[in-house]
Amino acid sequence: MSSENLYENSLKNRLKAFELSESDQSQLALDTHIPFQVAVVSNLLSISRDPIIRNLTDLDTRELRILVNIGSYGPIAASDIAYQSRLDPYSINRAIAALAKKELVKYEEGASRSKPVLLTEQGNSIYNKVVAHLKMREEKLLDTLTNQERNTLSELLQKLELNAEAVLAMEVADCQKQGLSVTRDHKELERWYKRTNK
């Protein structure tokens, strides 16, 4: 069976799970709802679901994501990791503290108040193993896409990220204007939006 036929057959089988129920209400077809589709792919690609990575390290998902971010962009401050990864700063600081306790990251010597962090030799060893696997997995995942499709997908995801940031930041602002409660995480969305659009 060709890869195109295999794709069509797989898609047909998958869509059987998305038959809408009979109802008078306006229904949401999740199989074509972009935010839902992105969330499903994100769930499938979660580092915590990857059995090879689980055998490479016993770090929890958040710690591993932070370690990979530090390895790619360090020395880097926690606030920059939050902005890049769209994770809340509090949990990032907790993850950095846990990684430092395991001697996988360290604070840059003579650093300013923001305390940028970088990988230790041991942290770098884990980073290299994980990144080698992630690159191999990316190649397998994108194997059926042409170079043009890969570039288009990357551009579309970047646009989607920026649009999501803008929509969420405006919703936070609207809630505040109406006197509705917003969390610290919600306010972080506004800060990220302002940083992107400064």
Side-chain angles (χ1 to χ4, degrees):
M1 186 179 289
S2 72
S3 60
E4 188 62 34
N5 288 342
L6 187 61
Y7 166 76
E8 288 174 10
N9 190 52
S10 298
L11 182 61
K12 187 171 78 174
N13 289 336
R14 178 72 175 123
L15 291 178
K16 286 180 185 175
F18 287 101
E19 291 181 15
L20 291 173
S21 58
E22 293 182 20
S23 170
D24 294 334
Q25 297 176 341
S26 177
Q27 295 168 314
L28 180 62
L30 295 177
D31 61 313
T32 56
H33 183 66
I34 300 294
F36 183 81
Q37 288 177 295
V38 170
V40 168
V41 173
S42 176
N43 288 339
L44 284 169
L45 296 179
S46 170
I47 288 176
S48 65
R49 283 221 163 130
D50 189 312
I52 293 174
I53 286 183
R54 294 285 20 112
N55 283 287
L56 289 174
T57 176
D58 62 352
L59 295 176
D60 71 30
T61 303
R62 184 138 308 175
E63 290 169 357
L64 189 51
R65 287 179 72 183
I66 302 309
L67 182 131
V68 169
N69 198 292
I70 294 168
S72 293
Y73 300 105
I76 185 170
S79 60
D80 291 329
I81 296 172
Y83 178 62
Q84 258 180 356
S85 62
R86 308 312 176 110
L87 296 169
D88 67 282
Y90 175 72
S91 62
I92 287 172
N93 283 320
R94 281 182 48 201
I96 289 173
L99 291 169
K101 191 173 181 180
K102 294 173 184 176
E103 299 183 347
L104 300 176
V105 302
K106 61 183 178 181
Y107 294 99
E108 190 173 39
E109 289 183 25
S112 62
R113 194 172 58 88
S114 62
K115 292 186 183 176
V117 289
L118 61 156
L119 297 182
T120 63
E121 190 174 325
Q122 186 181 350
N124 204 50
S125 175
I126 294 172
Y127 171 81
N128 287 330
K129 290 175 190 171
V130 168
V131 164
H133 173 65
L134 290 178
K135 286 180 177 179
M136 185 177 65
R137 189 170 80 152
E138 180 187 32
E139 275 308 308
K140 288 178 183 175
L141 180 68
L142 301 179
D143 185 50
T144 58
L145 302 183
T146 65
N147 285 337
Q148 183 177 349
E149 287 173 329
R150 291 180 187 205
N151 292 336
T152 300
L153 177 61
S154 182
E155 289 172 13
L156 291 174
L157 288 171
Q158 287 170 347
K159 283 185 181 180
L160 192 59
E161 178 187 336
L162 293 176
N163 287 347
E165 179 186 67
V167 167
L168 290 167
M170 304 230 181
E171 287 177 352
V172 170
D174 287 344
C175 284
Q176 289 175 318
K177 283 178 193 170
Q178 296 172 40
L180 301 173
S181 66
V182 293
T183 66
R184 188 172 56 197
D185 286 347
H186 292 142
K187 291 178 182 176
E188 193 69 20
L189 289 165
E190 279 193 309
R191 283 192 287 276
W192 291 338
Y193 177 71
K194 287 174 185 172
R195 181 171 173 178
T196 299
N197 295 280
K198 63 183 176 184

